[in-house]
Amino acid sequence: MRAVPTAVLVCFMVSFFLPISSKASNNIFYAGVAVPALIWWFRNPRSCFSVFRVSVPFFVFFALLSFFLGWKDLSFLESSSYLLLMFIACAMLEQHRRAIVGAFLIFAIVCFAMLFVGIIEWIKVMRVADVAPRIILWGQSENPIFAALMIICGMTFLWVFHVEDYLARRADWVKWFGFCAFVSLCITCAVVFQARSALIGLFLFLAAYVIQRDYLKPALIAVALLLLGLLVSGAGDVLLERGVSFRPAIWEAAIRRILEDCSIVTGCGRDRHKLLGAFEHPHSAYLSVLYQGGGIGFALFAAMGTTFLVSTWRARSRWLLVALVGWGGVVTTTGGVFVQPRPLWVYVWIPTFMALLETGRPALEAYYLVRSRVSSSD
């Protein structure tokens, strides 16, 4: 039976590439992921909160941030509750070890296919118009930044969990050729979708990867050669065509509103104010937290993020490396981190929750053991 919730999770993640509404994707999550996870969780109510022992500090700060933002706008509590259900679903599927790895593998293969669809469309337009287009897909991946971040996140997962281990058994030149090919495909993805936010996520992953793996010198040489190729080929000019996309002006307007019209301590909440008369959010997840929650909200968010980074880095979590693509990408996009089911869940929250579960495996196994004992005694 565990194949059913795993398959539904795959459908939920892949749905962001499909020409369906966000409501349809949300319904897949609610009915196929959240409800089964809630039932599984409450089957053993006496031990249900033990699952959060995988990272008590993280979830304490998560809860404090949720309640603080929820005090300003109840929609934050709703969003954070759905995120907790996503975490519980991850814990439910992780009981069968490779379930989420298998689900993410299928999603990553779809991402790989979407990249080649984008490349083919890009080449077609270039032949006709001789102008580098910005490829747009379907559904919620109609936003090129979301599409690129999901694709690069999927390819990063493929590299970290599958390709790297396979090439490690080959000659060094084969491994580094594969690494260069992987990075080249990710950069190509950023060019095709003109998604510089995704490029930030990629470089954050690369920085952490080379330090964690102690590949500093050869990796820096490989990345330098790839960047040189980016400049020589003219692909770098494609990324620069859109300038700074109003980001500095949006950020300045957001900070000015916090200081002049709201409160630097408690922020503006989710006030629906249009920055510069046109933009509905600060176009940075980090600045959005400051805008919505002020100094208090940002301090809680920073504490939550630091707890996550320190614990998963010490454990050399592979899921951390995948999550960094998303956490880097949202530096220049997205209107916050506590949101309804969105593509951001795929490249930020699911890898984040999996990194916590991977790091807190002993506590997770203890939770499974308690559940099994309670079930058998009943």
Side-chain angles (χ1 to χ4, degrees):
M1 288 296 293
R2 67 176 180 267
V4 175
T6 303
V8 175
L9 179 62
V10 173
C11 291
F12 169 65
M13 293 190 292
V14 171
S15 71
F16 295 120
F17 284 120
L18 301 178
I20 61 176
S21 65
S22 59
K23 184 177 180 180
S25 295
N26 290 0
N27 288 338
I28 294 173
F29 168 74
Y30 300 146
V33 180
V35 171
L38 196 62
I39 294 172
W40 175 83
W41 190 47
F42 275 125
R43 282 182 63 186
N44 297 105
R46 283 177 288 177
S47 62
C48 62
F49 289 103
S50 298
V51 70
F52 298 110
R53 289 179 180 171
V54 296
S55 182
V56 173
F58 176 89
F59 286 107
V60 167
F61 289 123
F62 182 98
L64 289 173
L65 180 58
S66 299
F67 284 114
F68 177 73
L69 293 176
W71 166 69
K72 301 177 72 65
D73 190 323
L74 286 176
S75 65
F76 284 110
L77 277 177
E78 182 183 4
S79 299
S80 60
S81 297
Y82 290 143
L83 283 169
L84 286 179
L85 285 174
M86 185 73 252
F87 169 74
I88 292 167
C90 289
M92 177 182 70
L93 293 173
E94 188 63 7
Q95 187 172 11
H96 305 290
R97 284 293 179 140
R98 304 292 292 180
I100 293 194
V101 170
F104 224 90
L105 174 61
I106 297 171
F107 170 75
I109 293 171
V110 173
C111 288
F112 203 73
M114 289 297 102
L115 173 59
F116 278 92
V117 168
I119 291 173
I120 292 169
E121 290 299 314
W122 192 83
I123 293 172
K124 285 181 179 178
V125 176
M126 280 287 287
R127 285 180 174 178
V128 175
D130 198 28
V131 175
R134 191 182 198 192
I135 297 301
I136 295 175
L137 297 177
W138 314 276
Q140 293 188 65
S141 60
E142 191 174 38
N143 184 317
I145 296 175
F146 295 168
L149 279 169
M150 285 193 291
I151 290 171
I152 291 178
C153 180
M155 291 197 299
T156 300
F157 167 85
L158 279 176
W159 174 261
V160 172
F161 278 83
H162 296 281
V163 180
E164 181 185 27
D165 289 342
Y166 175 78
L167 295 182
R169 298 189 291 271
R170 304 297 186 270
D172 283 347
W173 72 267
V174 174
K175 179 178 67 176
W176 289 111
F177 178 82
F179 177 76
C180 289
F182 154 69
V183 177
S184 297
L185 283 172
C186 290
I187 292 176
T188 300
C189 178
V191 172
V192 166
F193 293 97
Q194 292 187 24
R196 291 160 299 173
S197 297
L199 210 54
I200 295 172
L202 172 65
F203 282 114
L204 183 60
F205 155 75
L206 289 173
Y209 176 79
V210 298
I211 294 172
Q212 190 183 93
R213 297 291 196 272
D214 197 22
Y215 290 159
L216 192 56
K217 184 181 288 187
L220 286 177
I221 293 172
V223 171
L225 290 173
L226 289 166
L227 289 176
L228 180 62
L230 190 67
L231 294 173
V232 171
S233 66
D237 296 335
V238 174
L239 290 172
L240 296 175
E241 282 180 359
R242 299 179 61 251
V244 293
S245 301
F246 301 103
R247 292 301 193 273
I250 297 171
W251 297 338
E252 182 184 352
I255 293 172
R256 188 185 302 116
R257 179 164 175 77
I258 296 171
L259 296 175
E260 296 177 359
D261 302 319
C262 302
S263 168
I264 188 62
V265 178
T266 60
C268 303
R270 191 171 278 164
D271 63 356
R272 280 95 178 165
H273 173 77
K274 289 194 174 183
L275 300 169
L276 302 179
F279 301 99
E280 296 182 352
H281 57 76
H283 281 70
S284 167
Y286 302 99
L287 183 55
S288 291
V289 173
L290 178 64
Y291 183 88
Q292 294 160 354
I296 295 176
F298 191 81
L300 291 171
F301 173 74
M304 182 186 76
T306 300
T307 298
F308 164 71
L309 184 61
V310 170
S311 62
T312 54
W313 180 264
R314 285 176 177 171
R316 299 177 67 84
S317 168
R318 292 185 295 175
W319 279 107
L320 165 64
L321 296 174
V322 179
L324 287 176
V325 173
W327 285 111
V330 297
V331 169
T332 55
T333 188
T334 303
V337 291
F338 285 174
V339 295
Q340 301 284 326
R342 293 291 184 270
L344 177 137
W345 281 33
V346 175
Y347 51 79
V348 171
W349 284 113
I350 294 177
T352 295
F353 291 149
M354 288 307 301
L356 293 171
L357 291 170
E358 182 181 34
T359 301
R361 191 78 206 188
L364 186 63
E365 293 291 352
Y367 170 67
Y368 293 149
L369 182 60
V370 170
R371 280 182 59 92
S372 64
R373 287 175 178 171
V374 171
S375 298
S376 60
S377 64
D378 291 343

